[in-house]
Amino acid sequence: MNTTKKITHILTVGLAFFAGFMLEKYDARADYTLADGESKTFASAGEFGVLSQNVTGPTAEGTMATLNFTNGGEIRIMTGAISGNITLVKTGAGAIRLNHDYSNSVKAFTGPTYIKEGSLYIQHGQEIGTGTIYLEGGGLSNGGNGWAGATNAIMTNNLVFADGKTSYIRFGTGGGTVKFTGNISGTGTVTWGMLHSTYAEPEPSVVTLAGESAHSGKTIFNHDYNSKKKVANYNVQNTTGFGTGEVEVQNETVINYQKNMAGTVIDRNITHTSLAVSNGKTLTLKNEGGGKVNISTRWLTSNVDKSTVDLSGSNIHLTLAGKANETLKGTIKIASGSSLAFTGEKDQSTHINMSISGAGTLNIADAVSMIRMNRDNPNFSGDISITAGRLYVNTGKELGTGTIYLGSTEAGKYASLQNNNTNIEVMNDFVLTGTGYLRPYSYSKIAKFRGDFTGSGNLIYGFNGFTLESDNATVNLYGNNTYTGYTSVEQGGNNAYKFNVYGQNGFGTGTLEVKNNMQITFQNAESGDAVNRKMANSAINVAAGKTLTLQNDGAGETTISGTLTNAGTTKIENGNFSLANSVVNNGKITLGKDATLGVGAYDSTTGYDLNITGTGSIQLDGDLMISAFSPTDYDTITFANTQNVTLGNDFTLVLALPDDSSEFNHRVNTLDVFSGLNDLAFFQDADLYFSQSGWYGYINGNGQVIFGDSNAVPEPSTLALFFASLVGMVGMRYWRRKCEN
């Protein structure tokens, strides 16, 4: 402490006591007893400097007496004991200091205390009695002007903050502790931590709240004065903290949630009307109690651009709400094990311009919210959980580097990630936990997803009922997506949803539901390397009136392993594909002349049998390649009797065996290829190639049959089957053919 200030402080206190002593001698008094119902006022007009008398009220059976202290700007010191059935009332702008030590004497008074104006100072807590303290514009403190520091104090009283009044509780400096074990209520405003010390940079006391709080008024944390660089510490040992009203943090503040007085771990569910942290200030929330701390509050946006809320402890879960089209600013730090959630008003946007960092979790869980994140968060490594509502991003960098858990398990709740009229690039991995929506913006915007999609949930592109925002959007998928739920394209406007697949299993392993037009193009890896890909879906369903277009622009092959159920139109336009399961065609399947569809070319031990049923039409303008890996294990394509098959001008049927030395131990004939087909229509210049010699059959009609060498056909690893658009059969010549041993 500054020496000059020390001397000044000592002289000030000494002169006050000396003056009080002189007044006491001049007004020599005996102890004073208040009668039942009596009201006594001690004024400051020179009546007391130091009041050393004891004041005794009636017994508990009597009528409450009233002791009034009123004074102006000076401090009056009460060293005598106040006991009995007394109501204490403090008025006037000055301060009254209660200094009597009750540890070895009579108990303090039992009535309530009303602090209407000025300050009431105490040392240990017992001086103020046991009744409720009503703060009606004045303040309560255990330190004050000229005091070297606060002694430890325990307050057992209940606190009530009067409606329409602004009161304060000042805790002293010097690192002491002040503990409130009573309950807190009322609707008035209270300011905690206003230090009135003459010392330079003193240490603030630690305030512990052990009782429950039903306070619905405003709470302000402010300890400016000479402790601008210090932090006020509050320990909360109850379930409600600082009540339910507005909270405003005007200086550095730490709130630490602890076990209750009995040492029991408790969960807390706290709701504040709003929370504001002044510019450049930090509110730190800690949890040393072991339970969950759930805090829900509206975030005040005025002057908080540089404010910070630090969730530095585990199991602290903060929910910040914004009003319609409101912008939330500031900085949020989320420690691992804690979480931050954003909510907004129904169908209204809440803009998040906050900087988010840490390894905790970000939750979007309000079904009515439209949360728009507008700021990159490179220092956020935590997970993001979207279980309801809509989260919008501009670039994808807002999402940090953690995993995104997407999906709702409740019917009728959207859980979606969307982009704001911009191209996005999302690096995060996804885990599908329910039904999740990805909704790329319209007008040829591109959404790139570079992570892997896993989990057991469902993934839906678009929304039913929204016909503009995803028209002609493009989605690039780079990951190895192994999620087991279904994938559905439910909205894409009039144009097709376009998907470029660079990785494996772009649409997971469950059913792919094509409920709107959809174009899937398989690409080479970004490095330019050719890769073989899978469509490992258990089934592919194309709805009536919708079109699924498959393209392969890469040099590798794409295996389609699921059952294709086509009620609309399926086009395989170009590239190498392999079909490994049955087809139920009640619509139209077209195989373009630049496409190849192979049956069973990729497994050296198991051939594929492809069964095509239904009443739809099939047009083959590309090459149909069937490869057998041994004379006894070959592949077949079987068309239903009702199937209408048209072979186009450039169609080639190739039946291949590995090499000329293969020995036929089993009959291989065209009945195995087209068994059950009633009418097979060829254009006149269609060619039928047999790649092996040594077998014969009957061929009728005008088509050309060429017996060639197997070396002239592609190797089995490159075989594929191409489908193209259905053309009319006018001018076709029909011929029936039969091959047998």
Side-chain angles (χ1 to χ4, degrees), residues 31 130 270 335 400 409 452 461 477 571 636 643 645 665 714 737:
D31 293 344
T130 59
I270 301 166
T409 58
D452 296 337
Y461 291 90
L477 300 172
K571 296 180 180 180
T636 66
Q643 200 72 56
V645 180
N665 296 318
R737 51 92 181 108

Side-chain angles (χ1 to χ4, degrees), residues 123 158 205 241 340 391 497 525 579 626:
Q123 279 281 75
N158 294 332
S205 294
L340 169 68
L391 177 61
Y497 241 119
L579 201 59
I626 308 166

Side-chain angles (χ1 to χ4, degrees), residues 17-63:
F17 273 95
F18 178 73
F21 173 74
M22 294 300 293
L23 285 170
E24 186 178 356
K25 282 190 63 177
Y26 180 77
D27 298 318
R29 300 169 184 270
D31 293 344
Y32 195 91
T33 299
L34 293 174
D36 287 358
E38 181 181 358
S39 177
K40 175 64 177 177
T41 299
F42 293 132
S44 63
E47 187 172 0
F48 301 107
V50 176
L51 178 63
S52 60
Q53 291 87 347
N54 298 317
V55 178
T56 304
T59 63
E61 291 78 14
T63 304

Side-chain angles (χ1 to χ4, degrees), residues 361-404:
T361 301
L362 175 62
N363 292 319
I364 307 297
D366 184 2
V368 304
S369 295
M370 297 171 61
I371 304 300
R372 299 181 182 271
M373 297 181 66
N374 301 317
R375 188 168 178 173
D376 294 352
N377 296 301
N379 297 318
F380 176 53
S381 60
D383 296 334
I384 298 177
S385 176
I386 309 173
T387 56
R390 286 168 271 179
L391 177 61
Y392 292 81
V393 295
N394 290 319
T395 66
K397 294 180 180 179
E398 304 90 338
L399 300 170
T401 60
T403 299
I404 298 175

Side-chain angles (χ1 to χ4, degrees), residues 153-167:
I154 298 178
M155 302 291 300
T156 61
N157 314 73
N158 294 332
L159 300 177
V160 178
F161 303 113
D163 184 25
K165 302 294 184 179
T166 298
S167 305

Side-chain angles (χ1 to χ4, degrees), residues 492-529:
N494 295 321
N495 295 317
Y497 241 119
K498 298 178 180 179
F499 294 88
N500 294 319
V501 179
Y502 293 86
Q504 292 287 355
N505 295 334
F507 304 94
T509 62
T511 300
L512 173 61
E513 301 280 359
V514 182
K515 296 182 178 179
N516 253 292
N517 299 330
M518 181 178 182
Q519 175 183 310
I520 302 174
T521 303
F522 295 91
Q523 307 280 2
N524 280 340
E526 284 191 305
S527 63
D529 296 335

